[in-house]
């Protein structure tokens, strides 16, 4: 077939089956029957333009899982929706003088059409969009429940600020000190912001990972663990010369306290300003300005030249009474621990670098060190005998740590403590296209929640230039919307003008999918009980930390609210790799995009889908330059031709068929079953290809009447339906079946045909050979006799077996007597 007719053909097959699937509602979840239920979830799409190659990969994988489970007879929920709030819509709206909704919903329609064309087995009745008022009403409702529990609070804080986008950025939205979106250098700002108290759940987020050990990739669990970053240690309070309040430091090594020779506080902390001697002020201000833009990652980079300012004040060592100088530097983070450290330069490399840069003393306190760290420039491992450590000398590390903490506690100078890297989640955004925060600020009543029955707080109708006012957020400039009577006292008050981080929207959508139109709450608890937790989640590794952490956090809070009875939302996780071109990620700015639409137009949906799963293990990246959708299309055409060449009638029993082909068929089914269960789709496809070849050979050798050929081709059609739904449906039709192949049922494996070692067993009546049967070499006597009886049941007719002689695996002799 020429390329042109192949493309036309694919397009017409596609539209033919889309109609049939829609009419038959093939992928509707049931939820009422006795069948075991399974929920397969794809990370939902953000509607920026049409679907791209990354979507094509992710959804090909998730769909294979969903379709496989349907074939296995599970009641499957495979929902579809859109994560439809977010900044790109707003920027597009400003540029084109539109409402962000116009751009968003137009893109959603485009993507919906593309999903249908792509043949994804969604239950379309689940469809939701997080920007619909019916959805964000419940995001607001959840926000208010969080707030009631003290889990949503407002606090002034130093935040990352993009001067160009005029918005707060999360740490992860900063790349090399610049805004990830526009590249502008990020600055810090002191703003009052909304936070979610995710740190209150740090321990549970860590501990509950036990439930995920079997179902999640190890590396994702490790990333989550590091992100939460639990450190065991102690808080030590250092008295300050000429200051009432002590300075608290966090240390993981309180046992090295005798090696502390100076203190360092975060230069950008309020504490640095408070401690700074007047004559040092100017120097500190200059230093602060210079280091403000640095991200935490910059600050923590090992080996950076150390910089800092002597604050001109002194701390008192809690045990020696020595005066320790206090410095400010950028390598101490303002928002970790207390933003201050006791520097132990002999045993901590960063502190040593700093001490050497400024000529501060270095005091070794753990022996076994031959060389002086101050001379070598390398901090010594703090393992061994304590020296110069007063009451700690002679103890082992464990005892020393306990001893020093006990001593600090006795003196009221510190205590044991745990620190987390995890910070509370800053959810405020000074942008328009997000979920409004349902709070009113009243001069008399303070923060007043909008009553539940008045939700949703809808976004006002702003478009174009209204969305980009100078210096304030768009909602703050919308005066008519902002000014409202206070729900508490009725006096004049103002709405909160922040919107929520879009990660809030995506932290609970999987709960809403089970009852997307529910109006009495965020979700129908009975429906959630039926389907959740999610049996398989599929999505990109770029969400390995934040989205998954936030969704896990929400699930735990919602459990604590008594609305659900499980604590982990996703029991299994599959992370697909990226689609690359010539070794690098596709991006608009680099101009190396492969357009999904034109790939589909050229090769057909099935060839693109098959290529995605055949390219390699799902976790690996796919380089589109190295794969062959044309090759996939050729293979699919070969499979389809097989179906045309089956000339036995539908329903023909395969038993009489060619045993070699039957054996191949059953072995491939058994292998593909295991491979699909293990998500090794690429190998599964390779096995199906082998079966297609074996079947073709058999047809060439002895024609297409053989019932073993039908059995093989039917198995190919059903197995291919996971990856190439249109071709499979065509095959099924040509095989004389009615649609849909998607619900044909997974082929049953005959275990006798899958054993590698088999022999021919001779079946005799009174010592005369009647029949031959392929059996496994290790077949037991009982099994052999019953297989033999079944095989000769017809021949036996009315005759009675009076005695059976079995010599497994090669012989069964039935001694017959005549019927009375
Ligand atoms: C003395 C010491 C001696 C330390 C030693 C380490 C080794 P993790 O494990 O990441 O929790 N630290 C404390 N607060 C900090 C901040 N705000 N910014 C940068 N560093 C900070 O690290 C805890 C250790 O990091 C603490 O223990 C402290 O240095 C430093 F041989 O105290 B340590
Ligand atoms: Zn009021």
């Amino acid at each position: 077939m020429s390329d042109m007719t192949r493309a036309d053909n694919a397009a017409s097959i596609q539209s033919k089956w889309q109609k049939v699937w829609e009419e038959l509602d093939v992928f509707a979840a049931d939820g009422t029957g006795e069948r075991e239920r399974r929920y397969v979830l794809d990370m939902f799409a953000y509607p920026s333009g049409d679907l791209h190659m990354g979507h094509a990969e992710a959804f090909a994988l998730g769909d294979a899982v969903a379709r496989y489970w349907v074939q296995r007879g599970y009641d499957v929920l495979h929902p579809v929706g859109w994560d439809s709030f977010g900044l790109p819509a707003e920027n597009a709206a400003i540029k084109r003088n539109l409402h962000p909704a116009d751009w968003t919903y137009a893109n959603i329609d485009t993507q919906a059409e593309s999903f249908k064309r792509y043949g994804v087995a969604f239950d379309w009745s689940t469809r939701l969009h997080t920007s619909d008022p019916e959805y964000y009403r419940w995001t607001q409702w959840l926000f208010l429940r969080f707030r009631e529990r003290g889990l949503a609070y407002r606090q002034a804080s130093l935040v990352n600020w993009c001067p160009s986008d005029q918005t707060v950025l999360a740490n992860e939205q900063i790349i090399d000190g610049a805004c990830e979106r526009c590249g502008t250098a990020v600055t810090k700002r002191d703003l009052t912001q909304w936070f979610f108290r995710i740190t209150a759940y740090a321990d549970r987020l860590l501990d509950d990972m036990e439930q995920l050990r079997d179902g999640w990739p190890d590396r994702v669990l490790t990333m989550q663990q590091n992100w939460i970053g639990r450190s065991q240690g102690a808080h030590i309070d250092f008295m300050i010369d000429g200051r009432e309040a002590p300075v608290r430091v966090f240390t993981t090594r309180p046992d090295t306290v005798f090696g502390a020779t100076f203190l360092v506080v975060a230069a950008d902390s309020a504490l640095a300003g408070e401690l700074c001697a007047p004559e040092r002020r100017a120097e500190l201000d200059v230093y602060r300005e210079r280091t403000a833009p640095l991200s935490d990652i910059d600050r923590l980079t090992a080996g950076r030249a150390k910089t800092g300012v002597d604050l001109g004040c002194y701390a008192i060592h809690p045990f020696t009474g020595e005066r320790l100088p206090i410095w400010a530097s950028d390598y101490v983070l303002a928002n970790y621990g207390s933003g201050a450290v006791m520097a132990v330069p002999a045993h901590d490399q960063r502190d040593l670098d700093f001490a050497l840069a400024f000529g501060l003393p270095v005091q070794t306190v753990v022996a076994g060190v031959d060389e002086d760290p101050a001379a070598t420039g390398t901090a010594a491992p703090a393992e061994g005998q304590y020296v110069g450590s007063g009451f700690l000398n002679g103890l082992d590390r464990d005892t020393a740590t306990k001893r020093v903490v006990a001593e600090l506690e006795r003196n009221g100078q510190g205590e044991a403590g745990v620190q987390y890297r995890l910070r509370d989640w800053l959810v405020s955004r000074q942008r328009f296209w997000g979920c409004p925060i349902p709070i009113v600020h009243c001069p008399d009543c303070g923060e007043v929640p909008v009553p539940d029955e008045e939700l949703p707080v809808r976004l006002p109708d702003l478009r174009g230039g209204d969305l980009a006012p100078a210096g304030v957020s768009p909602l703050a400039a919308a005066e008519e919307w902002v000014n409202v009577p206070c729900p508490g006292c009725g006096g004049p008050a103002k709405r909160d003008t922040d919107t929520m981080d879009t990660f809030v929207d995506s932290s609970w959508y999987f709960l809403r999918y089970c009852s997307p139109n529910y109006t009495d709450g965020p979700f129908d608890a009975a429906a959630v009980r039926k389907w959740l937790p999610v049996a398989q989640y599929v999505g990109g590794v770029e969400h390995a930390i934040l989205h998954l952490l936030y969704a896990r956090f929400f699930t735990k809070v919602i459990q604590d609210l008594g609305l659900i009875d499980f604590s982990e939302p996703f029991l299994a996780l599959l992370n697909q790799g990226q689609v690359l071109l010539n070794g690098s990620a596709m991006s608009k700015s680099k101009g190396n995009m492969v357009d999904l639409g034109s790939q589909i137009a050229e090769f057909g949906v099935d060839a693109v889908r098959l290529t995605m799963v055949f390219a390699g293990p799902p976790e690996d990246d796919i380089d589109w330059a190295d794969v062959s959708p044309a090759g996939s299309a050729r293979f699919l055409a070969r499979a389809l031709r097989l179906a045309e060449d089956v000339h036995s009638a539908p329903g023909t029993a395969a038993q009489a068929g060619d045993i070699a082909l039957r054996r191949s068929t059953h072995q491939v089914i058994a292998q593909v079953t295991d491979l699909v269960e293990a998500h090794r789709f690429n190998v599964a496809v390779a096995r199906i290809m082998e079966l297609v070849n074996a079947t073709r050979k058999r047809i060439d050798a002895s024609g297409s009447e053989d019932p073993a050929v039908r059995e093989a081709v039917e198995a190919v059609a059903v197995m291919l339906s996971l990856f190439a739904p249109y071709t499979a449906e065509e095959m099924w039709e040509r095989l004389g079946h009615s649609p849909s192949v998607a619900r044909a049922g997974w082929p049953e494996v005959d275990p006798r045909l899958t054993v590698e070692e088999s022999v021919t067993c001779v079946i005799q009546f009174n010592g005369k050979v009647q029949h031959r049967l392929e059996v496994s070499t290790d077949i037991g006597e009982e099994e052999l006799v019953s297989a033999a009886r079944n095989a000769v049941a017809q021949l036996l007719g009315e005759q009675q077996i009076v005695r059976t002689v079995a010599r497994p695996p090669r012989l069964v002799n039935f001694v017959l007597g005549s019927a009375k």
Side-chain angles (χ1 to χ4, degrees):
M1 222 187 280
S2 79
D3 281 357
M4 200 51 228
T5 48
R6 184 180 67 204
D8 289 348
N9 201 34
S12 78
I13 287 176
Q14 284 159 205
S15 54
K16 165 179 153 190
W17 289 114
Q18 279 165 46
K19 271 192 220 98
V20 173
W21 295 335
E22 209 150 307
E23 267 160 34
L24 296 178
D25 206 3
V26 176
F27 299 106
D30 174 11
T32 61
E34 291 298 305
R35 285 184 299 156
E36 192 182 319
R37 299 185 189 101
R38 291 228 174 147
Y39 184 171
V40 55
L41 179 66
D42 308 286
M43 288 183 185
F44 62 171
Y46 180 78
S48 58
D50 202 349
L51 298 184
H52 53 65
M53 296 297 277
H55 292 121
E57 185 195 9
F59 287 93
L61 294 167
D63 207 39
V65 175
R67 287 172 174 273
Y68 171 68
W69 285 346
V70 169
Q71 295 286 20
R72 293 307 301 248
Y74 293 106
D75 188 3
V76 173
L77 175 65
H78 187 205
V80 59
W82 278 269
D83 187 14
S84 50
F85 271 138
L87 200 45
E90 201 162 329
N91 291 338
I94 293 167
K95 213 154 116 193
R96 295 164 214 196
N97 198 29
L98 300 168
H99 193 285
D102 300 337
W103 183 87
T104 302
Y105 288 92
N107 285 342
I108 288 177
D109 285 345
T110 305
Q111 292 195 349
E113 278 315 302
S114 296
F115 274 134
K116 287 181 180 166
R117 179 175 337 115
Y118 203 55
V120 187
F122 286 135
D123 179 344
W124 282 90
S125 72
T126 62
R127 177 169 181 172
L128 59 79
H129 318 115
T130 58
S131 56
D132 291 351
E134 301 76 50
Y135 183 91
Y136 71 71
R137 169 184 179 186
W138 299 110
T139 307
Q140 293 172 342
W141 186 90
L142 286 166
F143 178 95
L144 293 178
R145 302 293 86 78
F146 275 49
R147 186 172 169 279
E148 285 161 4
R149 313 197 121 229
L151 296 172
Y153 65 92
R154 232 156 72 104
Q155 196 171 63
S157 75
L158 264 192
V159 295
N160 305 305
W161 179 259
C162 171
S164 158
D165 282 335
Q166 295 273 316
T167 189
V168 169
L169 299 173
N171 283 340
E172 319 70 55
Q173 291 171 308
I174 303 171
I175 314 277
D176 297 331
C179 171
E180 122 190 297
R181 294 215 170 78
C182 67
T184 310
V186 173
T187 57
K188 296 262 180 191
R189 256 208 182 186
D190 208 0
L191 276 184
T192 300
Q193 303 277 289
W194 286 99
F195 291 85
F196 282 160
R197 204 179 299 282
I198 191 172
T199 52
Y201 282 71
D203 282 326
R204 279 165 68 185
L205 287 165
L206 276 175
D207 297 343
D208 288 351
M209 281 198 286
E210 265 321 302
Q211 297 176 41
L212 310 176
R213 287 274 160 232
D214 295 334
W216 283 37
D218 284 341
R219 65 167 176 162
V220 175
L221 291 174
T222 305
M223 284 160 88
Q224 296 243 324
Q225 191 175 340
N226 292 344
W227 188 261
I228 298 165
R230 176 158 56 191
S231 293
Q232 200 79 38
H235 304 291
I236 304 181
D237 294 323
F238 284 79
M239 296 305 180
I240 306 298
D241 222 4
R243 185 181 191 254
E244 186 91 33
V247 166
R248 169 160 276 216
V249 305
F250 174 70
T251 174
T252 46
R253 294 302 304 271
D255 57 313
T256 63
V257 66
F258 285 91
T261 52
F262 55 98
L263 261 52
V264 186
V265 300
D268 50 351
S269 64
L271 181 63
E274 287 165 26
L275 293 171
C276 187
E279 69 275 16
R280 298 284 172 179
R281 186 82 230 181
E283 197 186 336
L284 179 64
D285 287 346
V286 171
Y287 183 72
R288 280 176 156 182
E289 196 147 329
R290 183 153 64 83
T291 54
L294 295 175
S295 71
D296 289 358
I297 295 161
D298 295 334
R299 293 164 189 268
L300 293 173
T301 303
R304 273 174 70 235
K306 291 286 178 290
T307 55
V309 177
D310 182 351
L311 293 178
C313 65
Y314 294 87
I316 312 299
H317 192 284
F319 298 117
T320 67
E322 250 175 280
R323 291 174 86 226
L324 312 179
I326 307 182
W327 285 65
S329 176
D330 61 5
Y331 81 92
V332 174
L333 306 178
N335 59 2
Y336 184 68
S338 53
V341 307
M342 65 173 196
V344 183
H347 304 292
D348 182 294
Q349 189 61 47
R350 294 165 304 173
D351 296 343
L352 181 61
D353 294 343
F354 194 85
L356 295 179
F358 294 105
L360 294 160
V362 178
Q363 179 73 51
T364 301
V365 286
V366 188
V369 186
D370 304 331
E371 293 178 272
D372 177 10
T376 62
T378 304
E383 305 288 342
Q385 294 283 314
Y386 294 95
V387 294
S389 288
F391 58 89
L392 300 181
N393 289 340
L395 302 181
D396 61 60
R397 178 167 164 184
D398 235 32
T399 319
T401 304
K402 288 201 182 100
R403 190 59 211 289
V404 82
V405 170
E407 203 64 28
L408 288 166
E409 284 175 354
R410 205 166 59 82
N411 301 341
Q413 284 190 296
E415 64 208 10
V418 179
Q419 275 298 319
Y420 301 89
R421 284 242 156 251
L422 185 66
R423 305 268 68 93
D424 275 344
W425 173 11
L426 198 174
V427 296
S428 287
R429 296 292 181 271
Q430 286 69 45
R431 299 302 304 225
F432 172 77
W433 192 233
C435 175
I437 287 177
I439 295 287
V440 169
H441 299 280
C442 169
D444 295 326
C445 314
E447 262 173 39
V448 185
V450 174
D452 285 356
E453 54 287 1
E454 287 173 28
L455 300 180
V457 175
R458 284 170 192 269
L459 287 167
D461 188 16
L462 303 187
R463 57 190 58 233
D466 298 341
L467 298 170
V472 283
S473 74
L475 287 179
E479 297 217 353
E480 265 178 54
W481 181 86
V482 169
N483 292 306
V484 286
C486 165
C489 68
K494 286 182 188 302
R495 288 195 188 283
D496 196 288
T497 58
D498 287 346
T499 52
M500 293 182 221
D501 180 4
T502 55
F503 273 122
V504 179
D505 310 324
S506 56
S507 289
W508 70 279
Y509 75 112
F510 46 90
L511 294 164
R512 179 91 181 155
Y513 268 147
C514 311
S515 51
N517 304 311
Y518 195 63
T519 52
D520 296 337
F523 51 82
D524 175 2
V528 166
R529 219 171 298 124
K530 282 183 180 171
W531 293 105
L532 276 100
V534 171
Q536 181 68 60
Y537 201 15
V538 180
V541 76
E542 67 275 16
H543 291 304
I545 298 180
L546 293 184
H547 162 59
L548 292 172
L549 198 67
Y550 295 153
R552 295 181 59 220
F553 165 57
F554 258 64
T555 301
K556 291 172 203 306
V557 177
I558 292 169
Q559 181 190 28
D560 290 350
L561 288 167
L563 301 177
I564 56 174
D565 58 6
F566 53 90
S567 55
E568 284 295 332
F570 316 124
L571 298 182
L573 175 68
L574 175 62
N575 281 138
Q576 83 276 1
Q578 278 187 296
V579 189
L580 313 175
L581 189 64
N582 297 312
S584 53
M586 293 185 195
S587 83
K588 270 192 193 133
S589 55
K590 275 191 250 157
N592 66 340
M593 301 282 286
V594 173
D595 179 55
L596 175 62
S598 48
Q599 293 294 301
I600 287 176
E602 189 171 351
F603 303 107
V605 165
D606 280 357
V608 173
R609 290 182 58 145
L610 192 74
T611 304
M612 290 291 181
V613 295
F614 186 49
E619 298 80 6
D620 290 5
D621 292 342
I622 300 173
D623 196 321
W624 205 249
D626 299 340
V627 295
S628 171
S632 298
R634 279 194 300 275
F635 161 71
L636 291 169
R638 260 199 324 276
L640 187 54
R641 274 200 303 280
L642 282 186
E644 282 158 13
D645 288 348
V646 172
H647 291 126
S648 55
T652 307
Q655 275 66 20
D658 173 59
I659 194 68
L661 180 58
R662 293 205 67 209
R663 198 171 293 132
S664 304
T665 303
H666 285 264
Q667 281 169 2
V668 168
I669 297 168
Q671 289 168 348
V672 168
T673 305
D674 291 344
L675 290 163
V676 168
E677 298 268 356
H679 302 152
R680 295 175 62 203
F681 304 118
N682 56 324
V683 189
V685 170
R687 292 286 172 276
I688 299 170
M689 289 175 168
E690 285 164 20
L691 182 56
V692 166
N693 292 341
T695 311
R696 173 53 63 196
K697 275 201 191 113
R698 176 69 195 163
I699 294 173
D700 290 348
S702 51
S704 49
E705 301 286 345
D706 186 339
V709 168
R710 167 169 287 275
E711 183 182 41
V713 179
E714 290 193 349
V716 168
V718 175
M719 292 188 288
L720 266 187
S721 75
L722 314 191
F723 313 116
Y726 293 106
T727 306
E729 207 71 79
E730 281 288 308
M731 290 177 72
W732 202 239
E733 184 177 55
R734 286 171 207 199
L735 285 162
H737 295 294
S738 50
S740 164
V741 67
R743 286 193 178 275
W746 196 246
E748 197 86 45
V749 175
D750 182 341
R752 284 168 305 186
L753 294 170
T754 58
V755 285
E756 287 296 340
E757 298 293 312
S758 69
V759 291
T760 307
C761 174
V762 170
I763 305 173
Q764 303 172 330
F765 288 172
N766 299 329
K768 274 183 64 188
V769 176
Q770 297 290 323
H771 196 75
R772 287 172 217 279
L773 188 66
E774 283 299 311
V775 298
S776 85
T777 47
D778 58 357
I779 192 166
E781 179 164 337
E782 227 176 288
E783 203 190 333
L784 178 66
V785 170
S786 89
R789 261 175 187 274
N790 290 339
V792 297
Q794 294 247 320
L795 289 170
L796 206 52
E798 296 289 283
Q799 304 172 86
Q800 293 285 318
I801 299 171
V802 293
R803 200 157 60 86
T804 302
V805 182
R807 300 268 177 275
R810 293 191 181 277
L811 175 101
V812 179
N813 181 22
F814 293 117
V815 180
L816 305 180
S818 49
K820 298 263 152 64

